[in-house]
Amino acid sequence: MTDLPGRENDPNDNPFAMFGSPEQIAAAMRQFADMLSASPDAGPVNWEMAKNIARHAVVAEGDPSVMEGERRQIVEALNLADLWLNEVTTLPSGVVNPQAWSRSEWIEKTVPVWKQLADPVAARMVETMGGTLGASGLPPEAQAMAGPLMGMLKQMGSMMVGQQIGQALGSLAREVVGSSDIGLPLSDTAALLPGGVAAFSQGLETPSDEIRLYLALREAAHHRLFQHVPWLRAHLLGAVEEYAQGITVDVSALEEKLQGLDLSNPAQIQEVLGGGELLKPEETERQKAALSRLETALALVEGWVATVVDAAAEGKLPSATALAETVRRRRATGGPAERTFATLVGLELRPRRLREAAALWKALADERGVEGRDAVWGHPDLMPTAEDLDDPGRFVKGEAEFDLSGLSDLEEPEQPGEEDGPRDAG
């Protein structure tokens, strides 16, 4: 009855209006099909569904394939950046097969690491969802007989978490410039995204080739660390995983959000699971230690990268100082990478002490030279601690002669009496 006044746009005249727009309905149907096709033993997250959602999100806003000219510009920038870094660090090149990725390719290439990072928390979320959904919908006497239903509900939880992760990765893919934006080794390949570089460049009054080369310097510097510091990858990812083991799901908040949830409405599901507010870290000493270790490691990685990039760009890139400040603000204030990470594992990934770490690396180079500075990466026991960031001068001066070759010498004075006796007798 659209001829009545005020009823021209009444959604009640459209029996399908409750399901949203045609695009939302199509998305919900794709997600439901993905859920049905997933193996019950596939794990806590339906990763195929997550990848599909992420790819649909970037394609919807435009994700053209990388053109040959763009690919050549990226490869040349990464190779030139790698040559410049040879002059300012003793760590070997980490750029073996430089690549230019579309946003969809970034999603495909980085999902294996996201899976490693997100699965522990996702498993807790899915288990809680299955129990909460089942308990809220069944009388007590029926819950004991609801085994198959509980399995289906857990699969539905896997779908819901997979949808949230897919939305988060799709959002992040529209913002990143390469494989190392969050300071973690998401890929063994050094790569930049032409679309991400273009988005980063918007509003900057700097030639595009300078921006591309500066970002290539950062990408290549990260990969020198990730490829040639053997313990660093396990140290970073292990700290994230240990922190995630202490994450719990706020059951009462989840129950409240699940009441009246329309599973056919992707936007509502995203709102329910979004933001990471359902994830709560346990305030244990182990949890605090893992967080401190991770934040310190991230600051040291980012501080070293900033230091060597500044040195490599000096005298070559006129806009290097301004670009460095742009990157620092982006990392320090928490951009989309941080929000996505908080959604996936309940952790804000921010190098909060980047400036202190950069100052420490610079002081080390001034005191010990480039070789002495980079030698600190030789073993985790040689690395600065959070306390050292408070007083970098003490670390630089007090540890000047402490290196791997001296570890065995430090063990000799433990029993001086036994060693001195024979010498005196002789």
Side-chain angles (χ1 to χ4, degrees):
M1 302 206 33
T2 58
D3 54 337
L4 295 178
R7 294 292 300 276
E8 292 84 355
N9 297 313
D10 190 343
N12 293 324
D13 288 339
N14 180 359
F16 299 103
M18 69 181 70
F19 299 108
S21 68
E23 292 79 10
Q24 289 176 315
I25 296 174
M29 294 299 291
R30 282 196 304 267
Q31 293 156 16
F32 187 68
D34 287 333
M35 182 190 74
L36 294 179
S37 64
S39 168
D41 301 323
V45 178
N46 187 331
W47 282 99
E48 281 303 313
M49 173 184 172
K51 286 195 293 185
N52 288 339
I53 291 174
R55 285 194 293 258
H56 286 305
V58 297
V59 169
E61 295 195 9
D63 182 34
S65 300
V66 177
M67 305 297 291
E68 177 57 27
E70 294 174 320
R71 187 199 67 79
R72 187 168 56 251
Q73 288 178 333
I74 294 295
V75 170
E76 289 176 352
L78 285 167
N79 283 330
L80 179 57
D82 211 37
L83 288 175
W84 288 3
L85 288 171
N86 286 337
E87 303 172 5
V88 296
T89 175
T90 59
L91 291 180
S93 168
V95 177
V96 178
N97 180 29
Q99 296 181 11
W101 291 342
S102 66
R103 293 182 170 101
S104 296
E105 288 174 315
W106 179 90
I107 292 168
E108 191 69 34
K109 302 286 188 180
T110 62
V111 155
V113 176
W114 287 117
K115 187 175 188 292
Q116 181 181 354
L117 296 174
D119 269 354
V121 173
R124 291 176 176 79
M125 181 78 81
V126 170
E127 285 291 329
T128 306
M129 281 183 184
T132 302
L133 285 169
S136 62
L138 292 174
E141 63 272 12
Q143 292 182 22
M145 303 173 60
L149 176 60
M150 294 299 292
M152 186 184 73
L153 290 174
K154 287 182 180 179
Q155 195 170 359
M156 185 179 297
S158 174
M159 179 197 73
M160 294 166 68
V161 174
Q163 182 187 55
Q164 173 61 16
I165 290 177
Q167 294 283 356
L169 290 181
S171 174
L172 181 56
R174 294 195 292 270
E175 301 288 345
V176 295
V177 300
S179 72
S180 58
D181 288 59
I182 65 171
L184 292 177
L186 295 180
S187 172
D188 291 334
T189 302
L192 292 179
L193 285 66
V197 174
F200 178 91
S201 304
Q202 290 181 358
L204 300 180
E205 298 180 357
T206 304
S208 59
D209 57 340
E210 286 193 32
I211 296 175
R212 186 186 309 113
L213 188 48
Y214 184 84
L215 296 175
L217 280 168
R218 289 184 52 80
E219 178 76 4
H222 276 101
H223 279 271
R224 290 202 176 214
L225 282 180
F226 296 149
Q227 298 294 334
H228 297 291
V229 179
W231 55 267
L232 182 57
R233 178 186 178 91
H235 181 80
L236 287 169
L237 299 184
V240 174
E241 291 175 16
E242 185 173 352
Y243 183 86
Q245 289 175 2
I247 294 291
T248 58
V249 179
D250 188 339
V251 177
S252 60
L254 180 60
E255 289 177 345
E256 182 179 345
K257 288 198 168 195
L258 289 176
Q259 291 179 0
L261 178 65
D262 180 5
L263 296 179
S264 67
N265 187 336
Q268 187 182 7
I269 295 175
Q270 181 181 4
E271 181 181 354
V272 165
L273 299 179
E277 66 268 17
L278 296 177
L279 306 177
K280 288 187 173 182
E282 295 178 348
E283 292 298 326
T284 63
E285 291 304 315
R286 180 181 177 184
Q287 188 82 347
K288 293 176 183 177
L291 180 59
S292 175
R293 186 169 69 254
L294 177 61
E295 289 183 338
T296 300
L298 287 171
L300 290 172
V301 168
E302 290 296 311
W304 184 88
V305 166
T307 300
V308 298
V309 167
D310 287 348
E314 186 176 3
K316 299 184 181 74
L317 287 180
S319 57
T321 301
L323 290 172
E325 188 58 33
T326 299
V327 170
R328 287 190 187 100
R329 287 199 305 268
R330 177 180 169 121
R331 290 294 280 129
T333 58
E338 178 190 335
R339 292 193 296 272
T340 296
F341 203 82
T343 298
L344 297 184
V345 299
L347 172 66
E348 290 186 353
L349 193 71
R350 187 187 303 179
R352 302 178 186 276
R353 309 191 67 184
L354 190 154
R355 291 185 184 274
E356 293 96 324
L360 185 146
W361 288 120
K362 186 177 185 305
L364 275 174
D366 293 341
E367 179 71 18
R368 309 185 197 178
V370 168
E371 185 175 356
R373 178 200 65 194
D374 293 347
V376 175
W377 290 104
H379 193 278
D381 290 345
L382 302 180
M383 294 298 292
T385 64
E387 290 74 20
D388 294 323
L389 294 181
D390 295 328
D391 186 5
R394 182 185 61 182
F395 179 84
V396 171
K397 299 290 185 181
E399 307 269 345
E401 298 180 358
F402 181 63
D403 57 22
L404 284 175
S405 64
L407 289 178
S408 59
D409 297 335
L410 294 176
E411 298 175 359
E412 294 181 0
E414 291 182 0
Q415 296 179 328
E418 295 180 8
E419 295 177 0
D420 292 340
R423 283 197 294 269
D424 293 338

